[in-house]
Amino acid sequence: ETGVTQSPTHLIKTRGQQVTLRCSSQSGHNTVSWYQQALGQGPQFIFQYYREEENGRGNFPPRFSGLQFPNYSSELNVNALELDDSALYLCASSHASGRPDTQYFGPGTRLTVL
Amino acid sequence: RKEVEQDPGPFNVPEGATVAFNCTYSNSASQSFFWYRQDCRKEPKLLMSVYSSGNEDGRFTAQLNRASQYISLLIRDSKLSDSATYLCVVENTGNQFYFGTGTSLTVIP
């Protein structure tokens, strides 16, 4: 196991609602990245947080936002949910630069938007 | 154009076969390259980094061709346990990481 945990495991929401997903990083890691993985697709980079500041962002609208806390746990918030937001949301924790070879993924949260 | 493109497969090969996956990337300034493995309904796990000089880890060999913006993964002597989706990953500037759609491999007894 990687030591990265995510909650909840599964979630069902309706269009227009807001959702908060949570990630607890591996001990000693100060960087967290969030990804969206739609069915049959590879993970899409949403954004990365390093020491509580956003440190890189993919091609996602502002209604996708995040937070990183002093203990390096993290939240992904999505406002005004759309049907296409249905996906597996993965967080990955790492140390320092956040290079993929040091990223450890959590098991993901599967979000269904009806 | 997508940042990273992979043939989605599926690749169905017999045990013991050699199989190769290819991946192309669009940003010539990309800095780092990796292969990840993802089992069904599980999170991706790092398989190996890809270096310009090529690198090998047991039955797995990765190659990078910066001039052609092309990455490959070769699996020799395929095992049943190699069945998974293989994801090509590229890191661009600004700590942005891009995954391909993945290539599905099934190794058949």
Side-chain angles (χ1 to χ4, degrees), chain B residues 75-94:
Chain B
I75 305 175
R76 291 181 300 278
D77 188 23
S78 299
K79 311 291 185 191
L80 296 177
S81 58
D82 294 334
S83 297
T85 295
Y86 290 83
L87 297 158
C88 174
V89 183
V90 170
E91 180 191 4
N92 293 344
T93 55

Side-chain angles (χ1 to χ4, degrees), chain B residues 23-88:
Chain B
C23 169
T24 58
Y25 60 95
S26 61
N27 188 338
S28 60
S30 296
Q31 298 180 323
S32 305
F33 310 88
F34 308 90
W35 284 100
Y36 272 69
R37 170 193 170 129
Q38 187 171 27
D39 293 293
C40 188
R41 304 187 75 82
K42 297 284 190 179
E43 69 274 20
K45 293 185 178 176
L46 178 68
L47 181 66
M48 59 197 302
S49 303
V50 187
Y51 303 118
S52 296
S53 55
N55 50 299
E56 188 174 308
D57 182 2
R59 298 181 293 106
F60 299 83
T61 301
Q63 296 277 353
L64 167 65
N65 184 322
R66 283 190 181 270
S68 301
Q69 296 178 205
Y70 170 95
I71 306 160
S72 66
L73 176 68
L74 184 76
I75 305 175
R76 291 181 300 278
D77 188 23
S78 299
K79 311 291 185 191
L80 296 177
S81 58
D82 294 334
S83 297
T85 295
Y86 290 83
L87 297 158
C88 174

